[in-house]
Amino acid sequence: MLEAIFASYVQDNGEVPVSSENYRLVQIFTGNGSDKNSYFTPNSRTVNANHEFIDGWGTPLRISFVSKDNILIRSAGPDKIFGTPDDITNQ
């Protein structure tokens, strides 16, 4: 889902968002960015109370832009600790 949102944003704007900070991306992708376009509607399965994208275990995702065409998304996995063998990435 987040990869598709990112791709739509880049297609519409010709560049990556101004920030890869999790909470800022939620703001940008819900229409509170400079382009005012909304790319998704947050819900409790995708965004926490701090307005951050979360994984299936409720842990905020770590997000970085590899390039204009590539976003790296990292989940801490079931143990909810980054840097352990159960981490999950989209690459």
Side-chain angles (χ1 to χ4, degrees), residues 2 20 22 25 53 61-65 71-74:
L2 191 49
S20 64
N22 193 326
L25 285 175
F53 286 107
L61 296 168
R62 291 190 178 168
I63 303 163
S64 59
F65 306 140
I71 184 173
L72 177 63
I73 305 164
R74 181 175 300 282

Side-chain angles (χ1 to χ4, degrees), residues 4 8 12 14-15 25 34 36-38 43-44 47-49 57 62 65 72 77 79 81 85 87-88:
S8 293
D12 288 352
E15 60 188 13
L25 285 175
S34 60
K36 304 298 181 200
N37 291 331
S38 180
N43 63 57
S44 62
V47 174
N48 66 14
W57 298 276
R62 291 190 178 168
F65 306 140
L72 177 63
D79 70 0
I81 300 169
D87 286 9
I88 302 166

Side-chain angles (χ1 to χ4, degrees), residues 40-75:
F40 87 110
T41 301
N43 63 57
S44 62
R45 291 185 329 251
T46 58
V47 174
N48 66 14
N50 294 324
H51 307 287
E52 300 168 302
F53 286 107
I54 56 174
D55 63 18
W57 298 276
T59 305
L61 296 168
R62 291 190 178 168
I63 303 163
S64 59
F65 306 140
V66 178
S67 70
K68 183 175 163 183
D69 301 316
N70 193 357
I71 184 173
L72 177 63
I73 305 164
R74 181 175 300 282
S75 162

